[in-house]
Amino acid sequence: MKAVQLLAHGVPGRFDLREVPDPIPAAMEVVVEVRACGLNRLDLWFEQGDLPIALQLPRTPGCEIAGRVLRTGPQAQEWSVGDEVAVQSNLFCGQCASCQSGEESMCLQPLMLGVQRDGGFAEQVVVPARVLARLPKEVDFKSAAALTLAGSTAMHMLTDRARVRASDWVLVIGASSGVGSAAIQIAKGLGAQVIATGSNNAKRSLATRLGADWVVDSQDPQWPEEVRKLTAKRGVDLVVEHVGGDTLRKALACLARGGTVVTCGATASKDFQLDLWSFFVRQHRLVGSYSRNRRDLQATLDWAAAGKLKPVLDEVLPLEQTAEAYARLRRRTVLGKLLVIPSTDAAV
Ligand SMILES: [Zn+2]
């Protein structure tokens, strides 16, 4: 089969499209024919070698996968050849206390698909059977690939780590990102009033199309004051954050008393300054969120099937242009998702 491999870390990294042996499933594994694979910020960090774990090359990246079951191991009988599936990228162990209690996002021995195991920028990928979710018939491969990681990350943030209540004010940072575009729709679906930030007109218009009630310009250094004005100085109940650094500090400044910032990323910076006095006097919460549980992925697919959660697709590229997809994501001109598909006849 054809697979894109990262041969050397860097900006850009060195990629090669190679012919490699078809993967063979172990007893409890399944080989999935990849029909679409989304590109994520995580892929850029891996390309740069900027992750706090041991990394081995060559490796086929790609963590947001939808496809069709091609081969099953002898103990993966719950799946049949031809089943249409989404693949959960955080390969939870299924054995530890967290996994046993349905909190797979807190798995003690997780592996990152496309980082610690070969991922989806290939014609086929082999994964443990337990990480598959069945696609509802209403959800096609491209939609699934665009929502499987980013959409379920947002679902985990808004319905598990923090809980949006109807009529809450929710501020979504970075409306055009995969997490941001899903978070706007989920917060609206749960009955919240939504403010979204965007750094240009195109991103702010997208936020409005996705249902945001108000948008603010994140290029304006005073944007938290704009959020205060929109809420009649009260502030918001919840901020969905994934940028880190000074944006996280500003997100805390937007909170009402008793409000929560839930964060799942640090694309700008892993450090920030906390005004501890304001934090405890105003009884704020800062909540970390990572990955998703199986039920979050299932809810994401159910919402997509019901038409309540729509993916935002920027561009679909063939496997041969995977490196170009990385370059585009790094330029930060992407609106929504970039997808890679292994061949043009797989564009279903
Ligand atoms: Zn586990």
Side-chain angles (χ1 to χ4, degrees):
M1 68 151 179
K2 281 186 197 150
V4 172
Q5 291 187 329
L6 179 65
L7 304 181
H9 295 296
V11 183
R14 191 154 57 85
F15 293 95
D16 194 20
L17 178 61
R18 290 178 164 180
E19 195 66 35
V20 299
D22 286 358
I24 297 165
M28 296 172 75
E29 290 184 333
V30 171
V31 173
V32 174
E33 176 196 12
V34 179
R35 304 305 295 260
C37 184
L39 192 66
N40 286 273
R41 193 77 208 180
L42 173 67
D43 294 304
L44 296 188
W45 286 332
F46 178 54
E47 179 190 24
Q48 292 162 222
D50 188 16
L51 288 170
I53 50 172
L55 302 173
Q56 279 187 339
L57 300 180
R59 172 73 70 213
T60 295
C63 50
E64 193 155 24
I65 302 168
R68 201 173 265 143
V69 171
L70 197 61
R71 288 186 290 283
T72 58
Q75 288 175 47
Q77 287 156 355
E78 67 272 38
W79 297 103
S80 305
V81 173
D83 284 347
E84 297 187 352
V85 295
V87 180
Q88 180 159 335
S89 60
N90 196 37
L91 304 179
F92 54 91
C93 77
Q95 311 269 320
C96 72
S98 299
C99 286
Q100 293 285 321
S101 64
E103 299 288 341
E104 295 89 359
S105 64
M106 305 219 194
C107 177
L108 301 175
Q109 294 170 306
L111 289 175
M112 287 167 152
L113 185 59
V115 174
Q116 293 162 296
R117 274 183 67 145
D118 285 335
F121 295 137
E123 289 177 322
Q124 301 173 22
V125 63
V126 60
V127 291
R130 63 182 170 275
V131 305
L132 299 185
R134 202 173 294 278
L135 286 191
K137 63 180 187 313
E138 297 87 354
V139 181
D140 62 23
F141 293 122
K142 283 185 197 165
S143 300
L147 289 170
T148 292
L149 192 154
S152 62
T153 297
M155 190 65 77
H156 186 58
M157 295 173 89
L158 292 168
T159 65
D160 185 306
R161 300 299 293 150
R163 298 228 167 115
V164 174
R165 297 156 303 184
S167 80
D168 272 357
W169 284 88
V170 175
L171 171 65
V172 176
I173 304 292
S176 65
S177 69
V179 169
S181 60
I184 291 170
Q185 298 176 73
I186 295 167
K188 283 307 294 177
L190 294 169
Q193 307 179 76
V194 175
I195 305 170
T197 72
S199 58
N200 62 38
N201 273 331
K203 292 177 179 180
R204 291 190 292 275
S205 314
L206 172 64
T208 305
R209 286 204 300 283
L210 293 172
D213 301 289
W214 296 273
V215 289
V216 296
D217 180 358
S218 55
Q219 293 293 93
D220 174 359
Q222 307 301 319
W223 68 259
E225 282 163 36
E226 197 58 35
V227 173
R228 290 241 152 233
K229 264 187 224 158
L230 289 169
T231 57
K233 295 192 181 166
R234 176 181 174 275
V236 299
D237 301 287
L238 180 66
V239 183
V240 180
E241 213 286 306
H242 48 91
V243 177
D246 202 46
T247 302
L248 178 50
R249 186 184 63 77
K250 287 179 171 172
L252 282 158
C254 292
L255 284 181
R257 286 177 190 269
T260 300
V261 171
V262 60
T263 182
C264 72
T267 48
S269 169
K270 297 186 182 88
D271 297 311
F272 83 109
Q273 273 217 313
L274 177 64
D275 174 352
L276 201 46
W277 180 270
S278 169
F279 184 72
F280 70 73
V281 167
R282 298 167 75 197
Q283 303 193 70
H284 290 162
R285 289 185 181 86
L286 176 58
V287 175
S289 187
Y290 180 68
S291 179
R292 66 215 52 80
N293 296 324
R294 282 172 64 99
R295 60 179 176 269
D296 301 313
L297 177 54
Q298 193 56 55
T300 303
L301 295 173
D302 291 346
W303 277 56
K308 294 194 296 181
L309 180 55
K310 295 187 174 72
V312 182
L313 290 181
D314 183 293
E315 193 177 7
V316 180
L317 297 115
L319 201 53
E320 292 75 10
Q321 289 178 30
T322 301
E324 169 57 21
Y326 277 70
R328 277 214 59 200
L329 186 62
R330 191 179 302 106
R331 286 198 295 271
R332 300 192 58 212
T333 55
V334 178
L335 273 186
K337 256 307 160 195
L338 292 173
L339 294 183
V340 169
I341 55 170
S343 63
T344 45
D345 64 359
V348 180

